[in-house]
Amino acid sequence: MICFVFIGGGLGSLLRYFTGWGVAHLLGHATAWATWGINALGSLVIGYLIGLSAREVGLNDDYRYLLIIGLCGGFTTFSTFSADLLHYLRSGAYLQAGGYLLVSIVSALLLVYLGFRWGRS
């Protein structure tokens, strides 16, 4: 079990790093919205995997540890999201901070629900 979490977490962290790097490379600069995209995609994927697990013949425990806890846990970036939000607040960009917070939370909840429904179907 621990090995699956470890392997999945490492792969998820690498995937997060390269996704953020790729977005920054394409745009020419780093942006907090890359973190939002990673969290949104991670919410969809984790919802889908939880939905798969809820099926009568769902994911076995090893896959749940590898994919849900490890990969998705390593891929999603709530701590980075919090740091990005703090940056907006400290720089006085309160409207941007509020928009970023609202869009991030609402889209994550919506996407985790859609992923769950998708996984159950």
Side-chain angles (χ1 to χ4, degrees), residues 18-19 22 25-26 29 32 37-38 40 56 59 62 65 67 76 78 85 97 100 104 110 113 117:
F18 284 117
T19 301
H25 182 70
L26 285 172
H29 66 314
I38 289 167
E56 191 172 319
L59 294 175
D62 291 341
Y65 288 121
L67 299 173
T76 56
F78 196 75
L85 187 58
Y100 183 61
S104 295
L110 177 63
Y113 174 75
R117 295 292 305 248

Side-chain angles (χ1 to χ4, degrees), residues 1 4-5 8 49-50 52-53 58-72:
M1 161 184 67
F4 289 111
V5 174
L49 293 171
I50 291 169
L52 282 179
S53 295
L59 294 175
N60 70 31
D61 285 345
D62 291 341
Y63 284 113
R64 283 194 358 244
Y65 288 121
L66 177 73
L67 299 173
I68 295 173
I69 297 170
L71 185 74
C72 289

